[in-house]
Amino acid sequence: YYLVITMGKMRIKVGMISKFPPEKSGTAITTQYLVNALNKKCKVVRIGFGNSNCEYKVKFSSNFIEDVRNIVEKENLDVVHLQYTPSSRYLGQENKITIIGYLKSIMVNLELAKLMSSLGIPTVLTIHDMHPSAKNLKQAITKWLEKKMTLSSTAVIVHTMIQKGVIEKYGAKVVCIHHGVISINRKPVKGRGILFFGLISPTKGVEYLIEAMKYLPDFSLKIAGEPTDSRYAGKLKSIVSTNNLSNVELSFGWVSEEDKDKLYRGYNIFALPYTLTSRYIVSGALHDAIAYSMPVVATDIGGMGEMVKKFKCGVAVKPFSAEELASGFKEVHKNYRTYLNGVNKYGKDVSWVKIAEQHLKLYKDLINKGRKV
């Protein structure tokens, strides 16, 4: 996608570094939504990695920085914008030997930080996965990398105010731009069908969600997504069978966009039972739920609880509690219309059109500031 904006006599060109579809990544999908929303107003050159469909592909090799610099020069870019998460999975550095994949991902993160500080033009970093805690060595290293990335960039974008507070402590320039939401033509219907969708990992609290169904015999639950841990997947199956939960359906594996659409249209309430409190996250699945006009029940951790309470689009409950989750589902079902109104307000306030406008304003401000220096 090549997009054009005129700013006085200046024509802005943005280099967007990210994964893009058909890569199996939520960040790839949402970044493409952002590019599409920018379509009418600016020119965006997509610089992708992995199996991305884009204008330029780069590899995390010894030539990575030089390759990006050549693209910047060839395209005469005004801004480079990196969609960032430090994980080995996102950066394509996974390895059968875990420590090797971890060390490789550290090196890639360091290369990205060097890139962002050495291009000679404004660089923007959007953080999708924050790690403000440092309770062990791995967390401490990840936090250090995150801080280094923010200080190497001209400006940082986060999606919630709680995230903004963390980055401000690092001393970086940071703005809060909420995650965008697409508009889906779906008529919401009150019902007792609960959906969990997304990557299934031990930090998602799915075991508590399954156990909550013991208190909700007249509700049904569908869990769909790709497990990141086979042992955890086995644990979930065991909980279902041990408790004889006929109202729980497990569907493990990657879900295509077409199948995801069918899933969201078939249920009434969305579940976000996450338990990991060291990540100030806002799940992309939350925004999918909003797009499909589904009230949510989410654990009150980090940015996720912040957004649910801000827009009154569902109920935020304590993590690690099946009983709390069950109460939340009962509350949402009882007052479905109230929470649906909050969902609709959320969708209007953070449409991708409005989110793109906020990105453009930031790009302009950074370019103008650079011209004055």
Side-chain angles (χ1 to χ4, degrees):
Y1 289 81
Y2 284 99
L3 320 166
V4 181
I5 179 171
T6 301
M7 196 176 98
K9 295 183 178 180
M10 184 171 60
R11 187 184 184 208
I12 295 179
K13 294 181 73 176
V14 180
M16 189 74 71
I17 304 177
S18 177
K19 281 187 173 180
F20 297 93
E23 270 287 329
K24 295 179 179 179
S25 162
T27 300
I29 294 167
T30 56
T31 302
Q32 187 61 62
Y33 285 143
L34 175 60
V35 171
N36 292 344
L38 289 168
N39 186 23
K40 298 178 181 178
K41 297 184 177 180
C42 82
K43 180 170 183 176
V44 176
V45 178
R46 295 174 301 174
I47 306 168
F49 50 96
N51 191 37
S52 297
N53 179 18
C54 50
E55 284 71 56
Y56 294 93
K57 282 189 180 182
V58 291
K59 294 182 179 180
F60 295 121
S61 66
S62 58
N63 296 325
F64 169 67
I65 293 179
E66 182 181 353
D67 290 343
V68 176
R69 284 175 176 165
N70 288 338
I71 296 169
V72 170
E73 182 177 350
K74 178 180 177 181
E75 294 289 344
N76 194 25
L77 298 178
D78 299 295
V79 178
V80 164
H81 187 167
L82 171 64
Q83 304 290 332
Y84 172 72
T85 179
S87 73
S88 299
R89 183 185 183 92
Y90 176 71
L91 298 173
Q93 303 303 309
E94 290 180 302
N95 192 286
K96 291 181 180 179
I97 302 175
T98 304
I99 187 63
I100 293 178
Y102 179 62
L103 292 174
K104 288 172 67 177
S105 69
I106 291 176
M107 297 306 297
V108 170
N109 275 278
L110 292 174
E111 284 292 287
L112 286 170
K114 184 177 179 181
L115 171 75
M116 297 295 276
S117 64
S118 65
L119 288 177
I121 60 174
T123 53
V124 178
L125 179 78
T126 294
I127 297 183
H128 293 277
D129 193 1
M130 290 189 62
H131 300 73
S133 297
K135 297 179 180 179
N136 54 49
L137 179 60
K138 184 176 180 180
Q139 289 183 0
I141 292 172
T142 304
K143 180 179 179 179
W144 176 75
L145 289 170
E146 180 182 275
K147 182 177 181 180
K148 188 172 184 65
M149 285 296 301
T150 62
L151 295 176
S152 298
S153 306
T154 313
V156 180
I157 295 174
V158 294
H159 300 314
T160 70
M161 293 305 294
I162 193 170
Q163 294 173 334
K164 185 173 184 288
V166 172
I167 303 303
E168 284 176 336
K169 291 180 181 178
Y170 292 161
K173 174 181 173 59
V174 57
V175 296
C176 178
I177 300 178
H178 292 322
H179 193 297
V181 172
I182 61 173
S183 178
I184 300 292
N185 182 20
R186 174 184 183 263
K187 184 177 180 180
V189 178
K190 181 180 179 179
R192 292 182 169 85
I194 302 168
L195 175 65
F196 173 94
F197 170 77
L199 287 176
I200 299 171
S201 72
T203 63
K204 298 291 184 75
V206 181
E207 65 268 40
Y208 299 99
L209 175 60
I210 293 173
E211 290 173 357
M213 299 309 291
K214 295 188 293 186
Y215 308 99
L216 300 168
D218 52 345
F219 284 71
S220 64
L221 169 66
K222 175 69 172 275
I223 295 172
E226 186 174 15
T228 61
D229 185 314
S230 59
R231 288 176 297 180
Y232 185 63
K235 175 182 177 180
L236 300 182
K237 291 178 181 178
S238 178
I239 295 173
V240 173
S241 61
T242 300
N243 292 281
N244 195 27
L245 294 172
S246 58
N247 58 345
V248 177
E249 180 184 356
L250 302 178
S251 180
F252 294 155
W254 177 258
V255 179
S256 69
E257 287 298 288
E258 181 180 354
D259 289 338
K260 185 177 81 171
D261 179 74
K262 294 177 182 177
L263 268 177
Y264 277 90
R265 293 183 185 276
Y267 291 85
N268 318 102
I269 306 171
F270 197 80
L272 291 158
Y274 294 16
T275 58
L276 185 57
T277 55
S278 64
R279 293 164 62 194
Y280 284 18
I281 57 174
V282 180
S283 171
L286 167 63
H287 302 94
D288 286 337
I290 300 302
Y292 281 89
S293 299
M294 293 177 67
V296 303
V297 173
T299 44
D300 190 6
I301 58 173
M304 207 157 52
E306 175 187 328
M307 299 302 287
V308 170
K309 290 185 287 187
K310 175 179 179 178
F311 289 98
K312 298 180 175 60
C313 59
V315 175
V317 302
K318 294 178 181 178
F320 304 101
S321 173
E323 292 89 344
E324 287 277 339
L325 286 166
S327 296
F329 292 122
K330 291 176 181 177
E331 165 64 20
V332 168
H333 180 263
K334 180 181 178 181
N335 297 291
Y336 198 82
R337 177 55 58 180
T338 298
Y339 295 112
L340 186 59
N341 289 338
V343 169
N344 293 334
K345 182 181 187 304
Y346 194 156
K348 291 178 181 177
D349 287 358
V350 297
S351 68
W352 278 112
V353 172
K354 292 184 178 180
I355 297 306
E357 290 173 353
Q358 294 175 50
H359 278 75
L360 288 169
K361 181 180 184 303
L362 176 62
Y363 297 154
K364 291 178 185 179
D365 290 346
L366 294 178
I367 294 169
N368 279 333
K369 184 176 181 181
R371 285 176 154 235
K372 292 174 183 177
V373 174

mmCIF file of all heavy atoms in Angstrom, residues 97 265 349:
data_model
loop_
_atom_site.group_PDB
_atom_site.id
_atom_site.type_symbol
_atom_site.label_atom_id
_atom_site.label_comp_id
_atom_site.label_asym_id
_atom_site.label_seq_id
_atom_site.Cartn_x
_atom_site.Cartn_y
_atom_site.Cartn_z
ATOM 1 N N ILE A 97 15.967 -25.476 21.044
ATOM 2 C CA ILE A 97 16.710 -25.262 22.294
ATOM 3 C C ILE A 97 16.344 -23.865 22.787
ATOM 4 O O ILE A 97 16.763 -22.851 22.226
ATOM 5 C CB ILE A 97 18.226 -25.380 22.070
ATOM 6 C CG1 ILE A 97 18.560 -26.766 21.481
ATOM 7 C CG2 ILE A 97 18.974 -25.169 23.379
ATOM 8 C CD1 ILE A 97 20.011 -26.934 21.116
ATOM 9 N N ARG A 265 -19.301 -14.325 15.602
ATOM 10 C CA ARG A 265 -20.731 -14.145 15.313
ATOM 11 C C ARG A 265 -21.604 -15.154 16.047
ATOM 12 O O ARG A 265 -22.810 -14.971 16.146
ATOM 13 C CB ARG A 265 -20.966 -14.247 13.800
ATOM 14 C CG ARG A 265 -20.360 -13.107 13.006
ATOM 15 C CD ARG A 265 -20.672 -13.210 11.523
ATOM 16 N NE ARG A 265 -19.993 -12.184 10.757
ATOM 17 C CZ ARG A 265 -20.457 -10.930 10.598
ATOM 18 N NH1 ARG A 265 -21.597 -10.580 11.162
ATOM 19 N NH2 ARG A 265 -19.771 -10.050 9.886
ATOM 20 N N ASP A 349 -15.272 5.633 19.533
ATOM 21 C CA ASP A 349 -14.180 6.497 19.994
ATOM 22 C C ASP A 349 -12.819 6.058 19.466
ATOM 23 O O ASP A 349 -11.904 6.883 19.351
ATOM 24 C CB ASP A 349 -14.138 6.533 21.523
ATOM 25 C CG ASP A 349 -15.278 7.347 22.120
ATOM 26 O OD1 ASP A 349 -16.072 7.902 21.339
ATOM 27 O OD2 ASP A 349 -15.373 7.419 23.358
#
